[in-house]
Short mmCIF file of all heavy atoms in Angstrom, two decimals:
data_model
loop_
_atom_site.label_atom_id
_atom_site.label_comp_id
_atom_site.label_asym_id
_atom_site.label_seq_id
_atom_site.Cartn_x
_atom_site.Cartn_y
_atom_site.Cartn_z
N MET A 18 102.95 102.05 69.13
CA MET A 18 101.55 101.76 68.92
C MET A 18 101.37 100.26 68.73
O MET A 18 102.13 99.61 68.03
CB MET A 18 101.04 102.53 67.70
CG MET A 18 99.59 102.29 67.40
SD MET A 18 99.09 103.37 66.03
CE MET A 18 97.51 102.72 65.71
N ALA A 19 100.33 99.70 69.35
CA ALA A 19 100.04 98.28 69.23
C ALA A 19 99.65 97.94 67.79
O ALA A 19 99.05 98.74 67.10
CB ALA A 19 98.91 97.90 70.17
N GLU A 20 100.02 96.74 67.40
CA GLU A 20 99.65 96.30 66.07
C GLU A 20 99.14 94.88 66.16
O GLU A 20 99.76 94.02 66.77
CB GLU A 20 100.84 96.38 65.13
CG GLU A 20 100.48 95.99 63.72
CD GLU A 20 101.62 96.25 62.75
OE1 GLU A 20 102.26 97.30 62.86
OE2 GLU A 20 101.84 95.40 61.90
N ALA A 21 98.01 94.64 65.55
CA ALA A 21 97.42 93.31 65.54
C ALA A 21 96.87 93.01 64.15
O ALA A 21 96.51 93.92 63.40
CB ALA A 21 96.32 93.19 66.57
N THR A 22 96.79 91.73 63.86
CA THR A 22 96.18 91.27 62.62
C THR A 22 94.93 90.49 62.98
O THR A 22 94.97 89.62 63.86
CB THR A 22 97.16 90.37 61.84
OG1 THR A 22 98.32 91.11 61.54
CG2 THR A 22 96.52 89.87 60.56
N ILE A 23 93.82 90.78 62.33
CA ILE A 23 92.56 90.06 62.55
C ILE A 23 92.16 89.44 61.23
O ILE A 23 91.91 90.14 60.25
CB ILE A 23 91.46 91.01 63.06
CG1 ILE A 23 91.92 91.70 64.34
CG2 ILE A 23 90.17 90.23 63.30
CD1 ILE A 23 90.99 92.81 64.81
N THR A 24 92.09 88.12 61.23
CA THR A 24 91.79 87.40 60.00
C THR A 24 90.51 86.60 60.18
O THR A 24 90.46 85.69 61.03
CB THR A 24 92.94 86.43 59.64
OG1 THR A 24 94.16 87.14 59.60
CG2 THR A 24 92.67 85.76 58.31
N PRO A 25 89.45 86.91 59.43
CA PRO A 25 88.25 86.09 59.50
C PRO A 25 88.49 84.78 58.77
O PRO A 25 88.77 84.76 57.58
CB PRO A 25 87.18 86.95 58.80
CG PRO A 25 87.92 87.93 57.98
CD PRO A 25 89.30 88.05 58.53
N GLY A 26 88.42 83.69 59.52
CA GLY A 26 88.64 82.38 58.91
C GLY A 26 87.45 81.98 58.07
O GLY A 26 86.31 82.31 58.40
N ASP A 27 87.70 81.29 56.99
CA ASP A 27 86.59 80.81 56.17
C ASP A 27 85.67 79.93 57.01
O ASP A 27 86.11 78.93 57.58
CB ASP A 27 87.12 80.02 54.97
CG ASP A 27 87.73 80.91 53.91
OD1 ASP A 27 87.59 82.15 54.00
OD2 ASP A 27 88.35 80.36 52.98
N ASP A 28 84.42 80.34 57.12
CA ASP A 28 83.39 79.59 57.85
C ASP A 28 83.75 79.37 59.32
O ASP A 28 83.32 78.37 59.93
CB ASP A 28 83.12 78.23 57.19
CG ASP A 28 82.80 78.37 55.71
OD1 ASP A 28 82.19 79.39 55.33
OD2 ASP A 28 83.15 77.45 54.95
N GLY A 29 84.55 80.27 59.89
CA GLY A 29 84.98 80.08 61.27
C GLY A 29 85.30 81.38 61.97
O GLY A 29 84.81 82.44 61.59
N PRO A 30 86.10 81.31 63.04
CA PRO A 30 86.33 82.46 63.91
C PRO A 30 87.27 83.51 63.33
O PRO A 30 87.91 83.30 62.30
CB PRO A 30 86.99 81.81 65.13
CG PRO A 30 87.74 80.66 64.56
CD PRO A 30 86.86 80.13 63.46
N TYR A 31 87.32 84.63 64.06
CA TYR A 31 88.35 85.63 63.80
C TYR A 31 89.63 85.15 64.46
O TYR A 31 89.64 84.84 65.66
CB TYR A 31 87.98 86.99 64.39
CG TYR A 31 86.84 87.69 63.72
CD1 TYR A 31 85.63 87.85 64.38
CD2 TYR A 31 86.99 88.23 62.45
CE1 TYR A 31 84.57 88.51 63.75
CE2 TYR A 31 85.94 88.89 61.82
CZ TYR A 31 84.74 89.02 62.49
OH TYR A 31 83.72 89.67 61.88
N HIS A 32 90.70 85.10 63.73
CA HIS A 32 92.01 84.77 64.28
C HIS A 32 92.73 86.08 64.53
O HIS A 32 92.98 86.84 63.59
CB HIS A 32 92.77 83.90 63.29
CG HIS A 32 94.08 83.40 63.81
ND1 HIS A 32 95.03 82.87 62.98
CD2 HIS A 32 94.59 83.34 65.07
CE1 HIS A 32 96.08 82.51 63.70
NE2 HIS A 32 95.84 82.79 64.97
N VAL A 33 93.02 86.37 65.79
CA VAL A 33 93.65 87.63 66.17
C VAL A 33 95.09 87.35 66.58
O VAL A 33 95.34 86.50 67.44
CB VAL A 33 92.91 88.32 67.34
CG1 VAL A 33 93.52 89.68 67.63
CG2 VAL A 33 91.42 88.45 67.02
N GLN A 34 96.01 88.04 65.97
CA GLN A 34 97.43 87.84 66.24
C GLN A 34 98.11 89.18 66.41
O GLN A 34 97.78 90.15 65.72
CB GLN A 34 98.11 87.13 65.07
CG GLN A 34 97.59 85.74 64.77
CD GLN A 34 98.16 85.21 63.48
OE1 GLN A 34 97.72 85.59 62.41
NE2 GLN A 34 99.15 84.35 63.59
N GLY A 35 99.07 89.23 67.31
CA GLY A 35 99.87 90.44 67.44
C GLY A 35 99.86 90.98 68.85
O GLY A 35 99.71 90.26 69.82
N ASP A 36 99.98 92.28 68.93
CA ASP A 36 100.04 92.99 70.20
C ASP A 36 98.69 93.63 70.43
O ASP A 36 98.35 94.63 69.80
CB ASP A 36 101.15 94.04 70.13
CG ASP A 36 101.35 94.75 71.45
OD1 ASP A 36 100.83 94.27 72.48
OD2 ASP A 36 102.03 95.78 71.44
N PHE A 37 97.86 93.04 71.32
CA PHE A 37 96.52 93.56 71.54
C PHE A 37 96.09 93.28 72.97
O PHE A 37 96.68 92.47 73.68
CB PHE A 37 95.52 92.94 70.56
CG PHE A 37 95.37 91.45 70.72
CD1 PHE A 37 94.42 90.92 71.58
CD2 PHE A 37 96.19 90.58 70.02
CE1 PHE A 37 94.29 89.55 71.74
CE2 PHE A 37 96.07 89.21 70.16
CZ PHE A 37 95.12 88.69 71.03
N VAL A 38 95.02 93.94 73.38
CA VAL A 38 94.38 93.71 74.67
C VAL A 38 92.91 93.41 74.37
O VAL A 38 92.27 94.13 73.60
CB VAL A 38 94.48 94.95 75.58
CG1 VAL A 38 93.72 94.73 76.87
CG2 VAL A 38 95.93 95.29 75.84
N LEU A 39 92.39 92.34 74.97
CA LEU A 39 91.00 91.96 74.77
C LEU A 39 90.19 92.38 76.00
O LEU A 39 90.52 92.01 77.13
CB LEU A 39 90.91 90.44 74.56
CG LEU A 39 89.54 89.85 74.25
CD1 LEU A 39 88.96 90.49 72.99
CD2 LEU A 39 89.69 88.35 74.07
N ILE A 40 89.14 93.17 75.80
CA ILE A 40 88.32 93.72 76.88
C ILE A 40 86.86 93.39 76.61
O ILE A 40 86.39 93.52 75.47
CB ILE A 40 88.53 95.25 76.97
CG1 ILE A 40 90.00 95.55 77.29
CG2 ILE A 40 87.61 95.86 78.00
CD1 ILE A 40 90.35 97.02 77.24
N ASP A 41 86.13 92.93 77.65
CA ASP A 41 84.71 92.60 77.44
C ASP A 41 83.84 93.85 77.49
O ASP A 41 84.33 94.97 77.69
CB ASP A 41 84.26 91.53 78.44
CG ASP A 41 84.10 92.04 79.87
OD1 ASP A 41 84.21 93.25 80.11
OD2 ASP A 41 83.86 91.19 80.76
N GLY A 42 82.53 93.65 77.34
CA GLY A 42 81.60 94.77 77.28
C GLY A 42 81.50 95.56 78.56
O GLY A 42 80.99 96.68 78.57
N ALA A 43 81.97 94.97 79.68
CA ALA A 43 81.94 95.65 80.97
C ALA A 43 83.28 96.32 81.28
O ALA A 43 83.45 96.89 82.35
CB ALA A 43 81.59 94.67 82.09
N GLY A 44 84.21 96.22 80.35
CA GLY A 44 85.51 96.83 80.55
C GLY A 44 86.53 95.95 81.23
O GLY A 44 87.62 96.41 81.58
N ASN A 45 86.19 94.68 81.44
CA ASN A 45 87.13 93.76 82.07
C ASN A 45 88.15 93.24 81.07
O ASN A 45 87.79 92.85 79.96
CB ASN A 45 86.38 92.55 82.66
CG ASN A 45 85.38 92.97 83.70
OD1 ASN A 45 85.73 93.64 84.66
ND2 ASN A 45 84.13 92.59 83.50
N ARG A 46 89.39 93.23 81.50
CA ARG A 46 90.46 92.70 80.66
C ARG A 46 90.35 91.18 80.69
O ARG A 46 90.41 90.56 81.75
CB ARG A 46 91.79 93.17 81.24
CG ARG A 46 92.96 92.84 80.40
CD ARG A 46 94.22 93.41 81.04
NE ARG A 46 95.05 93.91 79.99
CZ ARG A 46 95.74 95.03 80.02
NH1 ARG A 46 95.73 95.77 81.09
NH2 ARG A 46 96.45 95.40 79.01
N LEU A 47 90.16 90.57 79.51
CA LEU A 47 89.90 89.14 79.44
C LEU A 47 91.17 88.31 79.27
O LEU A 47 91.30 87.25 79.83
CB LEU A 47 88.95 88.83 78.29
CG LEU A 47 87.55 89.41 78.42
CD1 LEU A 47 86.74 89.08 77.19
CD2 LEU A 47 86.87 88.89 79.67
N GLU A 48 92.06 88.77 78.46
CA GLU A 48 93.20 87.94 78.11
C GLU A 48 94.30 88.83 77.58
O GLU A 48 94.04 89.75 76.83
CB GLU A 48 92.79 86.93 77.05
CG GLU A 48 93.88 86.00 76.62
CD GLU A 48 93.37 85.03 75.55
OE1 GLU A 48 92.16 84.79 75.48
OE2 GLU A 48 94.20 84.54 74.81
N ILE A 49 95.49 88.53 77.97
CA ILE A 49 96.63 89.20 77.37
C ILE A 49 97.48 88.12 76.75
O ILE A 49 98.04 87.27 77.44
CB ILE A 49 97.45 89.99 78.41
CG1 ILE A 49 96.56 91.03 79.09
CG2 ILE A 49 98.64 90.65 77.76
CD1 ILE A 49 97.22 91.73 80.26
N THR A 50 97.52 88.11 75.47
CA THR A 50 98.25 87.07 74.76
C THR A 50 98.63 87.61 73.39
O THR A 50 98.31 88.75 73.06
CB THR A 50 97.37 85.81 74.61
OG1 THR A 50 98.12 84.79 73.95
CG2 THR A 50 96.12 86.10 73.81
N ASP A 51 99.28 86.82 72.62
CA ASP A 51 99.64 87.27 71.28
C ASP A 51 98.83 86.57 70.21
O ASP A 51 99.06 86.76 69.03
CB ASP A 51 101.14 87.10 71.02
CG ASP A 51 101.58 85.65 71.12
OD1 ASP A 51 100.74 84.79 71.44
OD2 ASP A 51 102.76 85.38 70.87
N GLU A 52 97.83 85.76 70.66
CA GLU A 52 97.02 85.05 69.68
C GLU A 52 95.75 84.54 70.32
O GLU A 52 95.77 84.02 71.44
CB GLU A 52 97.81 83.87 69.11
CG GLU A 52 97.10 83.09 68.04
CD GLU A 52 97.99 81.99 67.47
OE1 GLU A 52 98.55 81.20 68.25
OE2 GLU A 52 98.12 81.95 66.24
N THR A 53 94.62 84.66 69.62
CA THR A 53 93.38 84.04 70.07
C THR A 53 92.43 83.90 68.89
O THR A 53 92.67 84.45 67.81
CB THR A 53 92.73 84.85 71.21
OG1 THR A 53 91.74 84.05 71.86
CG2 THR A 53 92.08 86.13 70.71
N TRP A 54 91.36 83.15 69.12
CA TRP A 54 90.33 82.96 68.10
C TRP A 54 89.02 83.42 68.71
O TRP A 54 88.63 82.95 69.78
CB TRP A 54 90.23 81.50 67.69
CG TRP A 54 91.38 81.04 66.85
CD1 TRP A 54 91.41 80.95 65.48
CD2 TRP A 54 92.68 80.64 67.30
NE1 TRP A 54 92.65 80.51 65.06
CE2 TRP A 54 93.45 80.32 66.15
CE3 TRP A 54 93.28 80.52 68.56
CZ2 TRP A 54 94.77 79.89 66.24
CZ3 TRP A 54 94.60 80.11 68.63
CH2 TRP A 54 95.32 79.80 67.49
N LEU A 55 88.32 84.33 68.03
CA LEU A 55 87.08 84.90 68.54
C LEU A 55 85.90 84.42 67.73
O LEU A 55 85.92 84.43 66.49
CB LEU A 55 87.15 86.44 68.49
CG LEU A 55 88.28 87.07 69.29
CD1 LEU A 55 88.27 88.58 69.10
CD2 LEU A 55 88.20 86.71 70.77
N CYS A 56 84.85 84.03 68.46
CA CYS A 56 83.64 83.50 67.82
C CYS A 56 82.97 84.58 66.96
O CYS A 56 82.85 85.72 67.37
CB CYS A 56 82.66 83.03 68.89
SG CYS A 56 81.09 82.45 68.24
N ARG A 57 82.53 84.19 65.81
CA ARG A 57 81.68 85.08 65.00
C ARG A 57 80.44 84.36 64.51
O ARG A 57 79.65 84.92 63.78
CB ARG A 57 82.46 85.74 63.87
CG ARG A 57 82.97 84.84 62.80
CD ARG A 57 83.81 85.67 61.82
NE ARG A 57 84.25 84.87 60.72
CZ ARG A 57 83.90 85.06 59.45
NH1 ARG A 57 83.12 86.06 59.13
NH2 ARG A 57 84.34 84.28 58.49
N CYS A 58 80.25 83.10 64.95
CA CYS A 58 79.02 82.39 64.56
C CYS A 58 77.91 82.60 65.58
O CYS A 58 76.74 82.36 65.29
CB CYS A 58 79.30 80.90 64.42
SG CYS A 58 79.49 80.00 65.98
N GLY A 59 78.25 83.01 66.82
CA GLY A 59 77.26 83.23 67.86
C GLY A 59 76.93 82.01 68.69
O GLY A 59 76.13 82.09 69.62
N GLU A 60 77.51 80.86 68.40
CA GLU A 60 77.16 79.61 69.07
C GLU A 60 78.11 79.21 70.19
O GLU A 60 77.87 78.22 70.88
CB GLU A 60 77.07 78.48 68.05
CG GLU A 60 75.95 78.67 67.03
CD GLU A 60 74.57 78.68 67.66
OE1 GLU A 60 74.33 77.86 68.57
OE2 GLU A 60 73.74 79.50 67.26
N SER A 61 79.18 79.93 70.40
CA SER A 61 80.14 79.58 71.45
C SER A 61 79.50 79.71 72.83
O SER A 61 78.77 80.66 73.10
CB SER A 61 81.37 80.51 71.38
OG SER A 61 82.22 80.27 72.49
N ASP A 62 79.79 78.75 73.72
CA ASP A 62 79.34 78.87 75.10
C ASP A 62 80.44 79.45 75.98
O ASP A 62 80.34 79.40 77.21
CB ASP A 62 78.83 77.53 75.64
CG ASP A 62 79.88 76.44 75.61
OD1 ASP A 62 81.05 76.73 75.27
OD2 ASP A 62 79.54 75.29 75.93
N ASP A 63 81.47 79.98 75.36
CA ASP A 63 82.56 80.64 76.08
C ASP A 63 82.94 81.92 75.36
O ASP A 63 84.12 82.19 75.12
CB ASP A 63 83.76 79.69 76.20
CG ASP A 63 84.82 80.23 77.15
OD1 ASP A 63 84.49 81.02 78.06
OD2 ASP A 63 86.01 79.88 76.96
N LYS A 64 81.93 82.71 74.97
CA LYS A 64 82.18 83.96 74.25
C LYS A 64 83.07 84.88 75.09
O LYS A 64 82.93 84.89 76.29
CB LYS A 64 80.86 84.67 73.92
CG LYS A 64 80.02 83.91 72.92
CD LYS A 64 78.75 84.68 72.65
CE LYS A 64 77.82 83.92 71.75
NZ LYS A 64 77.11 82.84 72.44
N PRO A 65 83.96 85.57 74.46
CA PRO A 65 84.04 85.81 73.03
C PRO A 65 84.90 84.79 72.28
O PRO A 65 85.18 84.98 71.09
CB PRO A 65 84.69 87.20 72.97
CG PRO A 65 85.63 87.21 74.13
CD PRO A 65 84.90 86.43 75.21
N TYR A 66 85.32 83.73 72.95
CA TYR A 66 86.24 82.80 72.32
C TYR A 66 85.52 81.77 71.46
O TYR A 66 84.40 81.35 71.78
CB TYR A 66 87.06 82.07 73.38
CG TYR A 66 87.74 83.01 74.33
CD1 TYR A 66 87.31 83.12 75.64
CD2 TYR A 66 88.79 83.81 73.90
CE1 TYR A 66 87.91 84.01 76.51
CE2 TYR A 66 89.40 84.70 74.76
CZ TYR A 66 88.95 84.79 76.08
OH TYR A 66 89.54 85.67 76.92
N CYS A 67 86.16 81.32 70.43
CA CYS A 67 85.66 80.23 69.61
C CYS A 67 85.92 78.92 70.34
O CYS A 67 87.00 78.71 70.89
CB CYS A 67 86.39 80.22 68.26
SG CYS A 67 86.05 78.77 67.25
N VAL A 68 84.92 78.04 70.33
CA VAL A 68 85.09 76.72 70.94
C VAL A 68 84.86 75.61 69.91
O VAL A 68 84.74 74.45 70.27
CB VAL A 68 84.14 76.52 72.14
CG1 VAL A 68 84.49 77.48 73.26
CG2 VAL A 68 82.69 76.67 71.71
N GLY A 69 84.77 75.99 68.66
CA GLY A 69 84.57 75.00 67.60
C GLY A 69 83.11 74.75 67.27
O GLY A 69 82.81 73.94 66.39
N ALA A 70 82.19 75.42 67.95
CA ALA A 70 80.76 75.20 67.73
C ALA A 70 80.31 75.63 66.33
O ALA A 70 79.26 75.18 65.87
CB ALA A 70 79.93 75.93 68.78
N HIS A 71 81.09 76.46 65.67
CA HIS A 71 80.72 76.90 64.31
C HIS A 71 80.62 75.71 63.35
O HIS A 71 79.86 75.76 62.40
CB HIS A 71 81.72 77.93 63.77
CG HIS A 71 83.13 77.46 63.74
ND1 HIS A 71 83.98 77.55 64.83
CD2 HIS A 71 83.84 76.85 62.76
CE1 HIS A 71 85.16 77.05 64.51
NE2 HIS A 71 85.08 76.62 63.26
N ARG A 72 81.32 74.65 63.64
CA ARG A 72 81.27 73.47 62.76
C ARG A 72 79.90 72.79 62.85
O ARG A 72 79.39 72.30 61.86
CB ARG A 72 82.37 72.48 63.13
CG ARG A 72 83.75 73.04 62.87
CD ARG A 72 84.83 72.01 63.20
NE ARG A 72 86.13 72.63 63.28
CZ ARG A 72 86.77 72.91 64.42
NH1 ARG A 72 86.26 72.57 65.56
NH2 ARG A 72 87.93 73.51 64.40
N GLY A 73 79.30 72.78 64.04
CA GLY A 73 78.02 72.12 64.23
C GLY A 73 76.82 72.93 63.78
O GLY A 73 75.75 72.38 63.55
N CYS A 74 76.98 74.24 63.67
CA CYS A 74 75.83 75.07 63.28
C CYS A 74 75.90 75.45 61.81
O CYS A 74 75.09 76.24 61.34
CB CYS A 74 75.75 76.32 64.15
SG CYS A 74 77.03 77.55 63.85
N GLU A 75 76.85 74.89 61.12
CA GLU A 75 77.00 75.12 59.68
C GLU A 75 77.16 76.60 59.35
O GLU A 75 76.63 77.09 58.36
CB GLU A 75 75.83 74.51 58.91
CG GLU A 75 75.73 73.01 59.13
CD GLU A 75 74.59 72.38 58.36
OE1 GLU A 75 74.04 73.02 57.46
OE2 GLU A 75 74.26 71.22 58.69
N PHE A 76 77.88 77.31 60.23
CA PHE A 76 78.18 78.71 59.98
C PHE A 76 78.93 78.84 58.66
O PHE A 76 79.87 78.10 58.39
CB PHE A 76 79.03 79.28 61.12
CG PHE A 76 79.47 80.69 60.89
CD1 PHE A 76 78.58 81.74 60.93
CD2 PHE A 76 80.81 80.98 60.64
CE1 PHE A 76 78.98 83.04 60.72
CE2 PHE A 76 81.23 82.28 60.44
CZ PHE A 76 80.31 83.31 60.49
N ALA A 77 78.49 79.76 57.83
CA ALA A 77 79.13 79.93 56.52
C ALA A 77 79.35 81.40 56.24
O ALA A 77 78.40 82.19 56.20
CB ALA A 77 78.27 79.32 55.43
N ASP A 78 80.61 81.79 56.13
CA ASP A 78 80.95 83.14 55.70
C ASP A 78 82.40 83.13 55.25
O ASP A 78 83.29 82.66 55.94
CB ASP A 78 80.80 84.16 56.83
CG ASP A 78 81.09 85.56 56.31
OD1 ASP A 78 80.26 86.10 55.58
OD2 ASP A 78 82.20 86.06 56.60
N ARG A 79 82.62 83.65 54.09
CA ARG A 79 83.97 83.76 53.55
C ARG A 79 84.21 85.22 53.20
O ARG A 79 83.86 85.67 52.12
CB ARG A 79 84.13 82.86 52.34
CG ARG A 79 83.93 81.41 52.76
CD ARG A 79 84.32 80.42 51.75
NE ARG A 79 84.20 79.10 52.38
CZ ARG A 79 84.99 78.09 52.13
NH1 ARG A 79 85.95 78.23 51.25
NH2 ARG A 79 84.85 76.95 52.75
N SER A 80 84.77 85.93 54.18
CA SER A 80 84.99 87.36 54.01
C SER A 80 86.11 87.62 53.02
O SER A 80 87.19 87.05 53.12
CB SER A 80 85.34 88.00 55.35
OG SER A 80 84.28 87.86 56.25
N ARG A 81 85.84 88.50 52.09
CA ARG A 81 86.84 88.92 51.13
C ARG A 81 86.72 90.43 50.94
O ARG A 81 85.62 90.97 50.99
CB ARG A 81 86.65 88.24 49.77
CG ARG A 81 86.74 86.72 49.79
CD ARG A 81 88.16 86.27 50.11
NE ARG A 81 88.31 84.82 50.00
CZ ARG A 81 88.16 83.97 51.02
NH1 ARG A 81 87.83 84.42 52.22
NH2 ARG A 81 88.34 82.68 50.85
N VAL A 82 87.83 91.08 50.71
CA VAL A 82 87.81 92.51 50.45
C VAL A 82 87.28 92.74 49.04
O VAL A 82 87.72 92.10 48.09
CB VAL A 82 89.24 93.09 50.59
CG1 VAL A 82 89.26 94.56 50.17
CG2 VAL A 82 89.74 92.92 52.00
N ALA A 83 86.32 93.64 48.93
CA ALA A 83 85.78 93.98 47.61
C ALA A 83 86.83 94.75 46.83
O ALA A 83 87.47 95.66 47.38
CB ALA A 83 84.51 94.81 47.76
N LYS A 84 87.03 94.39 45.62
CA LYS A 84 88.04 95.08 44.79
C LYS A 84 87.38 95.79 43.65
O LYS A 84 86.35 95.49 43.20
CB LYS A 84 89.06 94.06 44.25
CG LYS A 84 89.87 93.45 45.36
CD LYS A 84 90.94 92.53 44.83
CE LYS A 84 91.76 91.97 46.00
NZ LYS A 84 92.81 91.11 45.58
S1 LIG B 118 83.17 80.82 65.41
FE1 LIG B 118 83.80 79.07 66.45
S2 LIG B 118 82.33 78.80 68.00
FE2 LIG B 118 81.64 80.51 66.91
#
């Protein structure tokens, strides 16, 4: 079974690491790799990838597990 780790970066993208397949909304296979960063601010012009635009839009989110 594939295993991947997805880490929401503080005020930035999801960092995806491991064994995974990335597929777009139309079912197209986008990338096969062991690491990528996915936009979660909505400002990337190359979605689903992060291009660093979160820094310019002052995206702020620090995800933490509720305990
Ligand atoms: S999170 Fe980096 S461009 Fe959106």
Side-chain angles (χ1 to χ4, degrees):
M18 180 175 170
E20 183 172 318
T22 300
I23 304 171
T24 306
D27 286 350
D28 307 327
Y31 291 111
H32 185 195
V33 185
Q34 298 171 282
D36 184 13
F37 63 90
V38 176
L39 184 58
I40 298 173
D41 73 7
N45 300 305
R46 187 177 219 140
L47 296 177
E48 181 180 336
I49 301 172
T50 182
D51 61 357
E52 182 176 51
T53 196
W54 287 262
L55 301 178
C56 177
R57 66 185 184 116
C58 75
E60 295 297 319
S61 173
D62 60 6
D63 190 26
K64 293 180 185 77
Y66 307 108
C67 171
V68 295
H71 57 274
R72 294 183 195 103
C74 71
E75 300 181 15
F76 176 70
D78 183 74
R79 298 191 174 215
S80 297
R81 300 292 186 268
V82 174
K84 295 184 178 181

